[in-house]
């Protein structure tokens, strides 16, 4: 396939912001592509050459691209810099300069999608000495063969800046329209008048495509199956060790009864560790660790690979686990924030391993010995986990659990879970399948939220980036003897970005603007008037605020200014009372 054909698609996609039009363009294009062309096309329309979970990214620096444009077009660096400063878009600069040059020399061969894809993939593999020169050559080679507009898209792709607006929803729908045109046309061409059956069939199809995507996180795999094997192929899409799968998510409940009513009696109740989700893959001597956001963090947690080798029988599996940090001296669990830096850190790994150790708590299994277990009932998967893991507390173990139908027994277990420094319980349905990527209510979190507080805003900060026009974080205070206001925390979540959606940053900003008393940088002090109801997960002792307490994970619930005055807000005594009460539940 010629690259110019793909570029024509880019131009179509760029020409509209309407989702349906984009879907039509993309699906028509996919229908024409051969099975071999699907992978490069699907990846390149997303501006990448590997699926998102793969850590190999193109990411080339601007300056290298400037040099490549110079090499390919024969224009001096200074001229390119000047054009770039003028238009602000290196893609357009490349297009202009390559076009001017081509009028003089129309010799080189025409670019194909395969050639672009291959060169870009090779770019991601290059490291070490001499790699910059090799990268330069690979890019210049593409630009030299590019026709004007092709140069624009090559440049944008190389810079990781190709944005033609094809999100996951559009890709999914395009696969449906491309390979199941009859089912899709029944719904899409009826202008909302399709029969209920046709709509149901279409929605089922979309759900199948989504399910196949949730297992693979790779639309290229899904599209290829759809094209070559149809619906049957979608059903056959498999988890593949090494490719992350979207993990199953939890819903929240407020009482044990609510949980049992939802998942049935008895239910499996497990400690809810305050760590981070870790998908652990093993295929022989190869290991992969993925976070819930599908980031590959294998290099950051070498000790986890050792634990897997030591404590888990079997050499082909995908385990679902929670890695939780603990204090190496006291061996008590620490909150996620304390160890979160380990996820991103690429250096000093050995030291961090000692200072911020993690314990892996295995709670589920997704694949074993080449068999996809997602359709198996949870209690069977759990039995398998129990037969595979030789626990070593502090390193790797099975999540602490009981199976119970008794509310009082589960409440007791909840208190124990809190006393052991975890967040509460996960309550799980024993006969449920593993549903990747979905909050279907097969596992419920029970954390027991604290009573909300009504607090007044005493100061605020202007936001950054897209929030720059709003006051977007608010310092909150409670009341003390004689009406003195004492700060207890800062909140910046729970509000909407758009007014139509509910209580918004914009609205709070408008309420606060006339109350501003002093401004220093982004910080403003305001007259205490606006009262917010705030939920949170815990009250902590803290020297940061003058009240001596801080709220953990505060979020705004609603505006109470019309109902309450500053004299009616919660007092320091209320906060102290809640803190004591919380200590009792923990103990
Ligand atoms: P939340 O992040 O508040 O929605 O709570 C769900 C998260 O709790 C999951 O995504 C896991 O990362 C974590 N978690 C901790 N312990 C467990 C457990 N025993 N079973 C399942 N998830 C757990």
């Amino acid at each position: 396939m010629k690259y110019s054909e793909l570029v024509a698609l880019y131009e179509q996609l760029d020409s509209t912001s309407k989702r349906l039009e984009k879907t039509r363009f993309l699906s028509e294009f996919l229908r024409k592509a051969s099975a071999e062309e699907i992978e490069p096309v699907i990846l390149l329309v997303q501006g990448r050459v590997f699926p998102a979970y793969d850590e190999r990214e193109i990411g080339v620096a601007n300056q290298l691209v400037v040099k490549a444009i110079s090499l390919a077009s024969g224009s001096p660096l200074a001229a390119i810099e000047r054009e770039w400063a003028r238009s602000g878009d290196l893609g357009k600069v490349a297009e202009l300069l390559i076009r001017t040059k081509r009028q003089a020399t129309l010799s080189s061969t025409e670019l194909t999608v395969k050639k672009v894809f291959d060169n870009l993939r090779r770019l991601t593999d290059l490291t070490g000495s001499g790699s910059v020169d090799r990268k330069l050559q690979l890019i210049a080679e593409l630009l030299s063969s590019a026709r004007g507009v092709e140069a624009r898209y090559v440049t944008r792709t190389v810079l990781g800046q190709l944005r033609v607006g094809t999100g996951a929803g559009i890709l999914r729908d395009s696969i449906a329209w491309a390979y199941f045109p009859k089912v899709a046309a029944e719904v899409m061409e009826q202008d909302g008048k399709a029969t209920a059956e046709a709509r149901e069939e279409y929605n089922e199809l979309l759900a199948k495509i989504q399910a196949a995507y949730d297992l693979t996180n790779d639309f290229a795999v899904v599209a290829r199956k759809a094209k070559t094997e149809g619906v049957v192929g979608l059903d056959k899409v498999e988890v593949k060790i090494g490719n992350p799968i979207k993990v199953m998510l939890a819903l929240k409940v407020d009482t044990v009864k609510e949980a049992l009513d939802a998942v049935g009696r008895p239910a499996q109740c497990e400690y809810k560790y305050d760590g981070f989700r870790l998908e652990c893959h093993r295929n022989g001597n190869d290991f992969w660790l993925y976070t819930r956001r599908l980031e590959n963090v294998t290099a950051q947690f070498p000790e986890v690979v050792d634990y897997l080798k030591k404590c888990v029988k079997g050499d082909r599996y995908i385990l679902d686990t929670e890695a939780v940090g603990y204090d190496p001296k006291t061996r008590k669990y620490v909150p996620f924030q304390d160890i979160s830096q380990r996820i991103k850190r690429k250096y000093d790994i050995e030291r961090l391993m000692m200072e911020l150790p993690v314990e892996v708590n295995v709670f589920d299994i997704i694949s074993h010995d080449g068999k996809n277990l997602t359709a198996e009932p949870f209690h069977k998967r759990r039995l398998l986990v129990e037969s595979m893991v030789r626990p070593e507390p502090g390193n790797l173990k099975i999540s602490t659990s009981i199976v119970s139908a008794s509310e009082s027994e589960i409440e007791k277990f909840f208190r124990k879970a809190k006393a052991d420094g975890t967040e509460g319980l996960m309550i799980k349905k024993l006969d449920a399948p593993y549903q990747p990527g979905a909050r279907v209510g097969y596992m419920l979190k029970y954390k027991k939220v604290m009573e909300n507080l009504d607090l007044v805003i005493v100061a605020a900060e202007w936001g950054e980036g897209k929030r720059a026009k709003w006051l977007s974080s608010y310092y909150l205070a409670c009341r003390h003897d004689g009406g003195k206001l004492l700060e207890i925390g800062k909140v910046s979540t729970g509000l909407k970005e758009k007014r139509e959606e509910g209580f918004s940053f914009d609205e709070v900003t408008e309420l606060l603007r006339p109350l501003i008393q002093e401004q220093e940088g982004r910080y403003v002090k305001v007259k205490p008037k606006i009262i917010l109801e705030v939920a949170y997960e815990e009250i902590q002792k803290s020297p940061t605020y003058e009240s001596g307490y801080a709220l953990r994970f505060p979020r705004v619930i609603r505006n109470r200014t019309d109902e309450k005055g500053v004299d009616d807000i919660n007092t320091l005594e209320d906060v102290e009372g809640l803190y004591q009460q919380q200590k009792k539940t923990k103990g």
Side-chain angles (χ1 to χ4, degrees):
M1 179 187 283
K2 289 185 201 152
Y3 187 58
S4 58
E5 294 173 62
L6 183 62
V7 165
L9 172 68
Y10 285 153
E11 299 246 273
Q12 285 179 317
L13 293 170
D14 243 348
S15 71
T16 175
S17 56
K18 293 205 182 93
R19 185 182 162 135
L20 288 184
E21 280 184 20
K22 281 182 189 278
T23 309
R24 187 159 52 76
F25 292 139
L26 183 54
S27 62
E28 281 166 5
F29 195 83
L30 283 178
R31 201 173 308 143
K32 283 190 309 196
S34 70
E36 288 67 46
E37 286 161 351
I38 285 179
E39 185 184 29
V41 166
I42 291 246
L43 289 168
L44 286 173
V45 289
Q46 298 174 78
R48 49 176 65 256
V49 284
F50 290 105
Y53 64 76
D54 197 309
E55 69 275 27
R56 285 171 294 181
E57 290 203 14
I58 308 175
V60 166
N62 285 327
Q63 283 312 321
L64 192 66
V65 178
V66 169
K67 280 194 196 147
I69 299 173
S70 168
L71 212 61
S73 68
S75 313
L77 291 176
I80 300 173
E81 296 276 0
R82 210 169 39 241
E83 268 306 312
W84 184 21
R86 203 178 56 80
S87 75
D89 180 346
L90 260 186
K92 290 216 167 118
V93 176
E95 176 175 1
L96 179 78
L97 297 176
I98 294 284
R99 178 168 287 144
T100 329
K101 174 223 157 189
R102 286 199 67 84
Q103 284 161 358
T105 52
L106 262 176
S107 60
S108 42
T109 47
E110 202 168 338
L111 270 184
T112 61
V113 168
K114 185 169 181 322
K115 176 71 189 165
V116 175
F117 191 66
D118 288 349
N119 272 27
L120 294 176
R121 275 206 163 171
R122 281 158 68 197
L123 271 183
T124 65
D125 283 341
L126 295 170
T127 50
S129 75
S131 64
V132 175
D133 275 344
R134 282 292 300 135
K135 284 187 184 182
L136 179 61
Q137 281 160 18
L138 287 168
I139 304 166
E141 187 190 5
L142 293 180
L143 289 175
S144 307
S145 316
R147 309 282 189 268
V149 63
E150 294 171 6
R152 182 190 336 153
Y153 287 101
V154 166
T155 304
R156 286 189 183 161
T157 312
V158 167
L159 288 170
Q161 290 171 357
L162 181 104
R163 287 184 198 97
V164 288
T166 46
I170 291 184
L171 279 157
R172 184 197 59 191
D173 294 0
S174 302
I175 292 174
W177 295 18
Y179 306 122
F180 307 94
K182 263 179 65 192
V183 183
E186 282 288 312
V187 174
M188 302 321 299
E189 285 166 18
Q190 299 295 321
D191 234 2
K193 293 194 211 85
T195 62
E197 282 141 45
R199 263 203 307 269
E200 197 177 315
E201 193 184 358
Y202 179 64
N203 287 337
E204 264 175 30
L205 175 64
L206 291 184
K208 274 187 198 285
I209 297 173
Q210 183 68 42
Y213 178 64
D214 289 339
L215 283 178
T216 57
N217 286 293
D218 188 346
F219 277 116
V221 172
V222 179
R224 200 198 245 270
K225 276 276 180 203
K227 180 179 175 85
T228 53
E229 297 173 48
V231 176
V232 190
L234 289 176
D235 286 337
K236 281 200 310 210
V237 164
E238 270 301 345
V239 272
K240 190 166 154 237
I241 300 187
N243 288 18
I245 130 167
K246 288 220 178 79
V247 291
M248 180 157 73
L249 300 172
L251 289 170
K252 179 170 154 279
V253 286
D254 292 325
T255 63
V256 173
K257 179 172 183 308
E258 191 188 333
L260 291 177
D261 286 349
V263 299
R265 296 171 170 81
Q268 166 124 352
C269 307
E270 299 177 17
Y271 277 15
K272 182 179 190 309
Y273 302 92
D274 183 12
F276 57 96
R277 195 83 171 249
L278 203 59
E279 236 180 84
C280 304
H281 295 230
R282 175 173 192 173
N283 190 8
N285 289 326
D286 296 325
F287 291 84
W288 296 261
L289 306 175
Y290 290 103
T291 65
R292 166 170 166 175
R293 296 182 53 224
L294 315 185
E295 293 154 315
N296 185 335
V297 291
T298 321
Q300 285 90 309
F301 295 93
E303 82 271 37
V304 171
V305 170
D306 288 340
Y307 302 157
L308 292 169
K309 284 186 193 155
K310 259 198 322 184
C311 309
V312 183
K313 272 194 274 175
D315 64 359
R316 278 172 80 208
Y317 54 72
I318 303 175
L319 298 178
D320 198 356
T321 79
E322 181 87 355
V324 53
Y326 61 90
D327 182 322
K329 289 197 201 85
T330 62
R331 295 185 73 81
K332 282 202 180 344
Y333 291 137
V334 295
F336 168 65
Q337 277 91 324
D338 294 9
I339 52 150
S340 58
Q341 50 170 307
R342 284 205 61 186
I343 294 180
K344 297 261 178 259
R345 236 346 220 279
K346 297 269 157 76
Y347 54 94
D348 264 356
I349 305 259
E350 300 283 320
R351 184 170 60 80
L352 283 192
M353 236 165 72
M354 311 302 288
E355 284 173 11
L356 307 170
V358 295
E359 175 188 79
V360 177
N361 284 275
V362 184
F363 56 78
D364 213 329
I365 182 160
I366 298 167
S367 167
H368 181 245
D369 255 347
K371 191 164 177 261
N372 174 0
L373 301 177
T374 52
E376 294 283 318
F378 172 57
H379 63 90
K380 278 201 177 166
R381 301 197 305 271
R382 174 84 189 186
L383 271 181
L384 179 58
V385 168
E386 284 166 8
S387 74
M388 290 168 70
V389 174
R390 283 180 294 251
E392 281 185 11
N395 294 346
L396 183 145
K397 64 182 193 49
I398 305 173
S399 58
T400 305
S401 74
I402 57 167
V403 174
S404 174
S406 146
E407 282 171 43
S408 61
E409 190 182 14
I410 297 173
E411 277 294 354
K412 208 167 130 211
F413 189 56
F414 172 82
R415 287 194 295 274
K416 190 163 169 302
K418 292 288 254 187
D420 284 343
T422 72
E423 284 187 295
L425 298 181
M426 298 295 294
I427 302 178
K428 304 184 179 180
K429 187 172 167 67
L430 284 171
D431 56 0
Y434 191 100
Q435 184 84 46
R439 282 184 203 279
V440 275
Y442 295 156
M443 55 180 209
L444 307 169
K445 52 186 170 187
Y446 175 52
K447 296 203 265 193
K448 206 180 261 187
V449 263
M450 299 285 293
E451 196 177 304
N452 294 348
L453 289 172
D454 293 322
L455 301 167
V456 68
I457 304 181
V458 289
E461 269 170 18
W462 291 102
E464 284 178 321
K466 65 175 182 174
R467 291 189 175 178
K469 52 186 187 294
W470 301 317
L471 285 163
S472 65
S473 3
Y474 316 106
Y475 290 85
L476 301 166
C478 60
R479 205 163 47 90
H480 195 36
D481 287 347
K484 193 163 181 253
L485 295 174
L486 302 175
E487 280 188 16
I488 184 172
K490 187 170 148 186
V491 65
S492 49
T493 50
L495 289 154
K496 308 286 183 213
E497 301 220 326
K498 293 189 182 133
R499 256 194 205 213
E500 313 82 87
E501 289 169 0
F503 193 35
S504 64
F505 289 108
D506 182 25
E507 214 173 322
V508 182
T509 308
E510 287 318 306
L511 291 171
L512 289 177
R513 211 185 279 278
L515 305 173
I516 296 180
Q517 292 173 322
E518 284 167 38
Q519 174 140 1
E520 205 188 310
R522 286 167 46 219
Y523 177 89
V524 298
K525 225 173 143 117
V526 298
K527 197 167 152 209
K529 179 155 187 281
I530 305 305
I531 294 158
L532 301 179
E533 180 180 332
V534 175
Y536 52 91
E537 272 175 19
E538 208 181 348
I539 297 176
Q540 295 171 320
K541 286 248 187 213
S542 160
T544 316
Y545 300 106
E546 45 192 345
S547 62
Y549 293 96
L551 302 178
R552 185 152 176 247
F553 297 136
R555 59 182 190 284
V556 177
I557 301 297
R558 61 194 159 124
N559 179 11
R560 305 215 71 181
T561 314
D562 292 339
E563 299 148 71
K564 293 200 163 189
V566 178
D567 288 347
D568 310 314
I569 66 172
N570 282 108
T571 60
L572 186 61
E573 291 72 50
D574 296 337
V575 173
E576 272 161 355
L578 285 166
Y579 178 76
Q580 292 306 332
Q581 194 184 319
Q582 172 191 297
K583 259 190 18 197
K584 261 190 254 150
T585 4
K586 270 192 165 183

